[in-house]
Amino acid sequence: MTACGNDAPKEGESSEEFTVYGNCGMCEKTIEGALADVEGVSSADWNKDDDQLSVIFDGEKISLDDIKQKVADVGYDSDSHRAKDGVYSKLPGCCQYDRPE
Ligand SMILES: [Cu+2]
């Protein structure tokens, strides 16, 4: 693959996209913020229109599982990791998205 721009995975990095449930721009800040200073994650971009989080990461340093757990730790459910009820309930009212089953 060709590295072109900041959002292309470098050698040794993987690019993945998965669903993270959320509502608004504030959710976006929280979700992306949860991964902003995480070693091994070079890019995290959540789209509120389709609830997709795109991440670029180095699988030697962090697993996709850990990434999903970090997102759950700040209150957001993904396709496989569920946030603790107590964390979810502390999100601002506008951010209390409809939780998946
Ligand atoms: Cu929100």
Side-chain angles (χ1 to χ4, degrees):
M1 75 196 75
T2 331
C4 176
N6 292 331
D7 286 320
K10 294 194 219 47
E11 204 176 329
E13 291 183 331
S14 310
S15 167
E16 293 281 350
E17 197 171 291
F18 55 91
T19 301
V20 173
Y21 298 87
N23 284 339
C24 64
M26 233 156 86
C27 300
E28 181 173 6
K29 281 203 183 108
T30 308
I31 294 166
E32 293 174 359
L35 298 170
D37 293 318
V38 175
E39 196 188 349
V41 178
S42 55
S43 163
D45 184 30
W46 183 75
N47 186 332
K48 69 175 156 58
D49 296 325
D50 61 6
D51 286 352
Q52 293 299 300
L53 177 65
S54 308
V55 286
I56 298 174
F57 63 102
D58 181 342
E60 301 268 300
K61 295 190 176 136
I62 190 162
S63 67
L64 190 58
D65 223 53
D66 290 338
I67 290 171
K68 290 175 171 179
Q69 187 57 52
K70 290 202 177 292
V71 171
D73 285 347
V74 295
Y76 289 87
D77 298 339
S78 65
D79 45 8
S80 59
H81 288 58
R82 195 171 170 88
K84 291 207 174 87
D85 292 344
V87 181
Y88 170 86
S89 65
K90 287 204 184 81
L91 292 174
C94 66
C95 291
Q96 295 197 359
Y97 54 93
D98 293 329
R99 304 193 84 176
E101 295 284 301

